[in-house]
């Protein structure tokens, strides 16, 4: 796959006696939006956690930009340019917007020339510029994340991905808990990421989101890839058949 930014080769992951991933081959090309679909428990979140370093697969390999990253720690994988926005959102609710954009990479300044403290003003200033560029309005950047809406929190997570120049952004159900205007905003952000050449993996149960923003659709079923098709060749009916496993000839 000469143009693949991400490639998973024969990735398997077990939880005790349960096979969550069974020799999964999966790839994403540069600048491509791939929708990863499947029923509850199909293995979608497990697959992306094997990419982001949260889980170590027992078999198989993961390559990013041609280099193997299998089982590297999440912080190293993030440094390489893969930003993941989890279903169970991994932002810090008690910190403010600026601190969340810099989470894990906090900007320090020297107090009296020798005491290192976090530079909150700098982080808030940078976050404010970025959010303005993304047309995201958050009343006060001093608010802790707990006080923001789901859509605003997703926006902060996406802002964080952009600030650190992620080249692959993985989103696990970004619009599931959002109202309609917020869903639109997140979809617009996905498009603007793509326009900047960022590759995206989008996990979603919302068919209209998938049809609107994806270039390619990969469907998982019981820990395996059941189908892989271009968006242009997909219909909602065909997708649903693959998800529930009623396509003729399907496993
Ligand atoms: N940490 C874990 N420990 C044990 N089993 C797990 C764990 N994580 C996932 N599983 C199991 O692995 C299988 C795949 O789960 P996964 O979370 O990847 O599904 P999913 O496709 O993301 O589903 P959903 O759409 O509901 O989020 C399921 O049977 C699940 O119960
Ligand atoms: Mg999941």
């Amino acid at each position: 796959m000469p143009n693949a930014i991400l490639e998973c080769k024969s990735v398997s992951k077990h939880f005790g006696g349960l096979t969550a991933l069974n020799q999964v081959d999966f790839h994403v090309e540069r600048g491509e939006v791939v929708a990863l679909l499947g029923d509850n428990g199909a293995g979608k979140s497990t697959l992306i956690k094997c990419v982001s370093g949260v889980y170590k697969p027992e078999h198989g390999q993961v390559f990013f930009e041609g280099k193997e990253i299998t089982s590297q720690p999440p912080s190293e994988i993030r440094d390489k340019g893969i930003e993941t926005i989890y279903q169970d959102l991994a932002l810090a609710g008690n910190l403010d917007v600026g601190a969340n954009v810099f989470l894990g990479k906090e900007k320090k300044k020297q107090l009296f020339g020798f005491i290192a403290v976090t530079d909150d003003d700098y982080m808030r200033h940078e976050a404010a510029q970025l959010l303005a560029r993304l047309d995201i309005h958050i009343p006060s950047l001093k608010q802790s994340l707990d006080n923001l809406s789901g859509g605003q929190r997703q926006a902060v997570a996406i802002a964080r991905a952009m600030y650190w120049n992620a080249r692959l952004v993985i989103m696990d159900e970004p619009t599931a808990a959002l109202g309609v205007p917020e869903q639109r905003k997140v979809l617009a952000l996905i498009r603007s990421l793509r326009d900047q050449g960022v590759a995206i993996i989008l996990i979603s149960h919302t068919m209209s989101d998938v049809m609107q923003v994806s270039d390619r659709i990969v469907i998982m079923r019981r820990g395996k890839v059941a189908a892989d098709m271009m968006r242009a060749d997909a219909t909602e009916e065909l997708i649903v058949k693959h998800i529930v496993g009623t396509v003729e000839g399907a496993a």
Side-chain angles (χ1 to χ4, degrees):
M1 296 269 170
N3 209 26
I5 189 164
L6 178 80
E7 191 160 16
C8 300
K9 287 187 181 167
S10 196
V11 169
S12 295
K13 174 74 193 162
H14 301 88
F15 294 107
L18 184 134
T19 305
L21 296 177
N22 188 353
Q23 300 185 15
V24 170
D25 290 319
F26 174 75
H27 80 281
V28 179
E29 312 226 338
R30 282 169 207 281
E32 192 182 33
V33 181
V34 176
L36 186 59
L37 309 185
D39 214 346
N40 295 123
K44 307 178 296 293
S45 295
T46 304
L47 179 62
I48 60 123
K49 285 178 177 170
C50 286
V51 171
S52 67
V54 173
Y55 293 152
K56 295 185 197 319
E58 287 99 19
H59 300 285
Q61 294 166 296
V62 182
F63 296 87
F64 181 62
E65 299 187 316
K67 296 196 183 75
E68 185 165 2
I69 58 163
T70 324
S71 301
Q72 289 181 1
S75 58
E76 249 173 66
I77 289 180
R78 203 177 147 207
D79 283 346
K80 292 198 162 86
I82 301 180
E83 193 78 36
T84 309
I85 300 167
Y86 294 100
Q87 194 170 17
D88 29 27
L89 206 61
L91 295 172
N94 57 333
L95 298 178
D96 73 20
V97 173
N100 268 283
V101 169
F102 285 81
L103 197 65
K105 303 185 179 195
E106 286 81 2
K107 166 86 176 162
K108 299 278 188 335
K109 67 177 175 190
Q110 301 279 318
L111 205 59
F112 310 123
F114 61 93
I115 306 170
V117 294
T118 59
D119 191 342
D120 294 331
D121 289 335
Y122 173 85
M123 293 194 291
R124 255 181 233 135
H125 177 74
E126 289 285 293
Q129 285 196 336
L130 180 66
L131 291 170
R133 232 174 64 210
L134 295 175
D135 193 31
I136 298 165
H137 303 283
I138 291 177
S140 163
L141 297 189
K142 291 192 180 183
Q143 294 222 15
S144 66
L145 263 276
D146 283 335
N147 297 331
L148 299 184
S149 73
Q152 289 169 331
R153 272 189 258 180
Q154 288 290 351
V156 171
I158 292 169
R160 190 178 67 166
M162 292 184 86
Y163 187 80
W164 296 106
N165 291 321
R167 290 185 301 291
L168 172 65
V169 174
I170 304 175
M171 301 186 196
D172 198 344
E173 305 206 33
T175 62
L178 305 184
V180 173
E182 292 179 325
Q183 286 178 12
R184 288 215 182 106
K185 180 75 89 184
V186 171
L187 293 180
L189 288 172
I190 290 174
R191 288 197 192 95
S192 72
L193 282 177
R194 193 227 335 242
D195 291 347
Q196 293 177 35
V198 178
I200 295 166
I201 300 173
L202 171 68
I203 298 178
S204 178
H205 289 279
T206 310
M207 204 61 83
S208 60
D209 291 358
V210 169
M211 294 311 243
Q212 277 181 61
V213 298
S214 65
D215 300 308
R216 188 156 56 85
I217 295 170
V218 173
I219 300 165
M220 293 189 68
R221 188 168 153 70
R222 296 185 184 159
K224 288 187 166 187
V225 172
D228 183 337
M229 63 185 100
M230 297 310 290
R231 154 72 184 84
D233 301 325
T235 61
E236 290 195 20
E237 196 191 344
L238 181 62
I239 293 169
V240 172
K241 279 186 175 170
H242 278 295
I243 290 174
V244 298
T246 55
V247 175
E248 254 170 73

